DNA sequence: TTGAAAGCGCTAACAC
DNA sequence: GTGTTAGCGCTTTCAA
């Protein structure tokens, strides 16, 4: 059995309060006493029981991060940054995967497993606006992803519409007029796909280009294979295009592969842009132009916002915070 | 303030023991009593305080997973699988990143942050055999990665040497004799790089091919950029080669890009194989032949082994468990 | 079948 | 400066 405060106190010949004082760096302790206690701690290999401390203090020093799936590169990179920021702030992170499944997301919000943490950073993907009531939870909550809810919580998000419009404008500026889209979601109104598609349409409108559904590819998921399938589908329709906007990088990379298999040159015949600013987009052939939606800032801000709530700012009005985006110009959209 | 057992007991007009019985599905409760209690629970929105329960029971229902960095695809996919398996077993996972830094790894092992968990699955990268003593920790520990220690803990690992030899033999079977290596670690004896390089040399020896250091590229890290740099370095030396063994997939993908930039055709001029069985290796151009080292099995086995230790098998002798590997043959090494 | 009470290990009033 | 003590919310003997 591990040593407790009592054991240390007995060995050192002091009271447990004194030991507690030493552990918590209380100032006014006689050096000799401190030395005695530290010796006893060393001998017993004592370490504080955090569970007991947490029960007493009402804090756990842990936060939860819930996201669809770590094997999706975007979420893996996001998680890496959140954990990094949390560590810098002295808290640990419990990671939950929801599989982008609405039921599992709703379950998680109610789950008592979260009792092990002081708050939650939540990136939902399956829930819709109808589920907004589920966000009214009795613990600090910061939402990531689309602002599809006008919910009662803080929200850290990206400028999807603006960034997607900028991406499309970038292609138009290269002289492209027939811009295909890969990864649209059929009938969606509120998710990332819908918002990015909206930005795309806004850019077309502004440039006087007509929207053409025959060069828009639909998928359900955003894996590489879906990007490839979606691209093959568009090619099979026979419609002409001179550029592709992948609604995320993974889709764009899958699409780029199919283009090259089909003998089309990127960017000469077809210019390609993605979205997310993944590390790997810099290392494809050709390297992929993409939009960095400000993921690093989002991670940092999510952690600091959550910790501020935990630290007592419970009553302040919920805020929505937007990250700045940036186009990362690479070979796949170089002027030809 | 959240409701407690006492509040529920008072409202229901019973003792807290009775409430506790209801919550823990104790069998012998009069239906009327149960109903009363459940009504009170519902009215107060009571949920058990896990911290208190943990303090009492000595268990937390959480395990820790420590790995170098989630933004490395291999570890992201590993973490996804570990969390998945843990969830199936009813425990949550706290993820720590060590950055492959020896000091941080040693700190972590001693850290009291782990007190929040019942045990640790640990994938070290910076520690060496000299640090084996640090593994003698007072909590259940399962090691992943190289078996560089003959330590006091369970170890779930892959057959690095055998799998690397099989990878090399695969290239030799295609008629390749000048097989370059990307990602070796200078002077390393015990890590993945060294073991895989050893398997490579064993395959050469068995085939009567002489080892040639001029076609072995060294890196420190295993990011895509390192694979690219390492490949450029080998090309710059001017030595001839007809195949490349990337010591992991990320390196191989980076190397493949450089080969193609240099005008070399894969697999016609140069055959390429990687190691790790990453999802994305299936979607590169050409798709990358790789070795699946059994990551799924490793995740599952690590979780079940740790939980068995936590569940009382504390005294059993430490085991070392090896995953089976498998060559995934794809375009980058197709017969030409 | 239900109640009373001890105590998990710690913190923080409060006393000396 | 240091000691005493009352809980944090729960589980779990032991009695009733």
């Amino acid at each position: 059995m591990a040593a407790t405060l009592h054991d240390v106190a007995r060995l050192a010949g002091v009271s447990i309060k004194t030991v507690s004082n030493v552990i918590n760096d209380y100032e006014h302790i006689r050096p000799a006493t401190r030395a005695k206690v530290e010796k006893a701690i060393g001998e017993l290999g004592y370490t504080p029981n955090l569970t007991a401390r947490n029960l007493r203090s009402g804090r756990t020093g842990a936060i939860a991060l819930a996201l669809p799936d770590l094997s999706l590169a975007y979420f893996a990179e996001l998680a890496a940054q959140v954990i990094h920021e949390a560590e810098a702030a002295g808290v640990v992170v419990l990671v939950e995967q929801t599989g982008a499944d609405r039921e599992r997301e709703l379950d998680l919000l109610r789950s008592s497993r979260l009792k092990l943490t002081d708050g939650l950073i939540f990136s939902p993907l399956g829930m819709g606006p109808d589920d907004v009531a589920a966000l009214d939870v009795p613990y600090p909550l910061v939402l990531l992803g689309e602002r599809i809810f006008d919910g009662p919580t803080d929200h850290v998000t990206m400028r999807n519409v603006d960034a997607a419009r900028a991406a499309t404008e970038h292609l138009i500026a290269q002289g492209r007029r027939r811009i295909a889209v890969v990864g649209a979601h059929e009938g969606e109104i509120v998710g990332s796909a819908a918002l990015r598609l909206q930005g795309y349409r806004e850019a077309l409108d502004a440039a006087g280009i007509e929207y053409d559904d025959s060069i828009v590819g639909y998928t359900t998921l955003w894996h590489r294979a879906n990007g490839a399938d979606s691209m093959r589908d568009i090619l099979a329709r026979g419609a002409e295009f001179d550029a592709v906007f992948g609604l995320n990088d993974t889709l764009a990379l899958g699409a780029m592969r199919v283009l090259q298999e089909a003998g089309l040159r990127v960017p000469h015949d077809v210019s390609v842009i993605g979205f997310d600013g993944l590390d790997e987009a810099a290392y494809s052939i050709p390297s992929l132009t993409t939009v960095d939606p400000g993921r690093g800032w989002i991670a940092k801000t999510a952690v600091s916002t959550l910790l501020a709530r935990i630290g007592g700012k419970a009553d302040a009005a919920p805020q929505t915070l937007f990250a700045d985006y940036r186009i990362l110009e690479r070979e796949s959209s170089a002027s030809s």
Side-chain angles (χ1 to χ4, degrees), chain A residues 79-152:
Chain A
Q81 288 169 306
V82 166
I83 292 171
H84 182 79
E85 296 295 340
E87 193 195 340
V91 301
V92 292
V93 181
L94 203 147
V95 180
E96 298 265 3
Q97 297 182 121
T98 60
D101 181 73
R102 175 174 173 272
E103 289 303 329
R104 288 176 62 192
E105 290 177 352
L106 291 172
D107 281 351
L108 180 80
L109 284 169
R110 295 187 228 101
S111 164
S112 59
R113 293 182 293 172
L114 294 177
K115 280 282 172 107
L116 233 40
T117 65
D118 296 328
L120 171 65
I121 296 176
F122 184 33
S123 181
L125 214 54
M127 293 170 54
D130 294 348
D131 302 312
V132 64
L135 295 174
D136 195 6
V137 294
Y139 50 82
L141 171 64
V142 170
L143 238 47
L144 302 185
E146 302 337 312
R147 206 168 62 83
I148 57 179
F149 321 98
D150 231 355

Side-chain angles (χ1 to χ4, degrees), chain A residues 37-67:
Chain A
V37 171
E38 280 170 349
K39 179 156 168 288
I41 289 177
E43 278 178 32
L44 292 170
Y46 170 79
T47 54
N49 180 319
L50 288 190
T51 308
R53 183 178 283 177
N54 294 341
L55 174 58
R56 195 50 242 236
S57 66
R59 288 280 174 71
T60 70
I63 62 176
L65 171 67
L67 35 72

